[in-house]
Amino acid sequence: MRIHGLALLAVAALSAPRPLPTLTFSDPISTLTVLPGETVRLEAMDRRWSWTAPPTPGLYPIRVVSEDQRDSMTIQAFVLVPYSELRGEYLHGYRIGHYPAQALRGLDLYRPPAGFIEVTPENADAFVSPHFQLKQFVCKQAGGYPKYIVLNAQLVQRLEKLLALVNASGYSASTFYVMSGYRTPAYNHAIGNVLYSRHTFGSAADIFIDEDHDGQMDDLNGDGRSDERDARVLYDLFDGPQSGGGLGKYAPTEAHGPFVHVDLRDRRARW
């Protein structure tokens, strides 16, 4: 699968509104996931329009240009491979595994995803937000391309806000190292994680700052070491009074260094 050409939209010439829920975009780069043929109503640069996804899964960047041509933004529209194309545990040869038959506590956020983003060598480097790329969220399980992931755009938005908070607090971070993003249910089971892990729904990330690119958390507290106290620095920054969802800090082990877990869930959880 390849990246399809930019759809250039002059804001002054957008189509008439339709009675659909409106998805609003304001960042220079944002992510949209839709099923083939699905029509969505979009808002950007003070204008609204309807867009119908092509029938073929892939990445369809939509570049929106302001009426005066001075500003622009890109909506990275990923047309999903529908969940219905799963055959047993496999999607086009890539092992996904099985999602739980029943949603946890009957909540929609624990139901199987509508579909999967197909990741290829051509689109893996695509930015899904100003500071994060698609490849950062790919599952670690073995296997070649194409790979398939679930990615909740709200998770990416939250990571962008946390990254801005880190830099505003005096630390330097061009992005977060995503140690674990999406996990297929098969991989999640293989590493012994819980059945309803938010990772399997594309709504969790295990992250740390790694500006020296050594694969370990940077020394954030200045004590000359990379340990749980550096994870505590991030944890304390992220744990504001308005922060919801899940947040956890982890000490280093033989398998990994210190990191912080961030997820989207229906309730506040801390550990």
Side-chain angles (χ1 to χ4, degrees):
M1 192 171 298
R2 53 194 175 83
I3 302 175
H4 302 268
L6 283 172
L8 180 62
L9 298 179
V11 173
L14 299 179
S15 59
R18 298 180 187 179
L20 296 169
T22 300
L23 303 175
T24 302
F25 300 89
S26 58
D27 292 333
I29 303 174
S30 299
T31 292
L32 168 68
T33 56
V34 290
L35 289 169
E38 181 180 358
T39 298
V40 290
R41 194 178 185 197
L42 309 177
E43 180 177 2
M45 296 187 172
D46 299 322
R47 294 293 188 273
R48 294 180 179 182
W49 74 101
S50 294
W51 183 76
T52 299
T56 303
L59 171 56
Y60 296 82
I62 302 171
R63 185 173 177 233
V64 186
V65 182
S66 64
E67 187 173 0
D68 61 9
Q69 304 293 307
R70 293 183 178 181
D71 298 308
S72 67
M73 63 180 296
T74 299
I75 301 172
Q76 300 282 49
F78 290 94
V79 178
L80 304 174
V81 177
Y83 184 87
S84 60
E85 293 193 14
L86 267 172
R87 296 295 178 265
E89 293 192 2
Y90 289 85
L91 180 62
H92 300 176
Y94 184 80
R95 190 181 182 195
I96 299 294
H98 296 291
Y99 278 86
Q102 294 184 338
L104 181 65
R105 300 191 302 277
L107 296 171
D108 286 342
L109 72 164
Y110 289 102
R111 299 191 189 283
F116 302 86
I117 295 174
E118 184 173 87
V119 184
T120 68
E122 291 76 24
N123 70 12
D125 289 331
F127 279 86
V128 294
S129 70
H131 300 96
F132 295 92
Q133 293 173 278
L134 183 63
K135 64 184 179 183
Q136 291 177 264
F137 299 92
V138 171
C139 183
K140 288 183 174 181
Q141 76 181 34
Y145 289 101
K147 304 176 186 291
Y148 295 90
I149 73 168
V150 180
L151 182 60
N152 189 324
Q154 293 181 24
L155 173 68
V156 181
Q157 292 169 5
R158 183 170 184 189
L159 293 178
E160 283 286 351
K161 291 179 180 178
L162 295 177
L163 185 67
L165 175 61
V166 164
N167 283 283
S169 300
Y171 301 95
S172 177
S174 55
T175 187
F176 291 128
Y177 186 104
V178 182
M179 189 179 78
S180 183
Y182 174 65
R183 295 177 190 161
T184 65
Y187 180 80
N188 189 66
H189 176 74
I191 64 174
N193 209 338
V194 297
L195 179 63
Y196 291 97
S197 168
R198 298 305 295 147
H199 286 279
T200 64
F201 298 92
S203 296
D206 297 337
I207 59 175
F208 55 86
I209 296 175
D210 182 24
E211 288 298 289
D212 59 6
H213 306 292
D214 66 351
Q216 297 290 324
M217 172 83 83
D218 288 351
D219 176 20
L220 301 182
N221 67 349
D223 66 357
R225 294 182 292 181
S226 175
D227 56 26
E228 186 178 6
R229 282 170 286 194
D230 299 300
R232 164 65 77 172
V233 171
L234 288 184
Y235 180 95
D236 289 343
L237 277 178
F238 297 168
D239 190 26
Q242 303 301 319
S243 61
L247 178 65
K249 60 185 180 302
Y250 290 83
T253 68
E254 292 183 358
H256 60 72
F259 68 90
V260 170
H261 169 97
V262 175
D263 72 41
L264 307 177
R265 62 177 69 192
D266 62 308
R267 59 185 66 183
R268 180 182 170 92
R270 297 292 181 269
W271 62 93

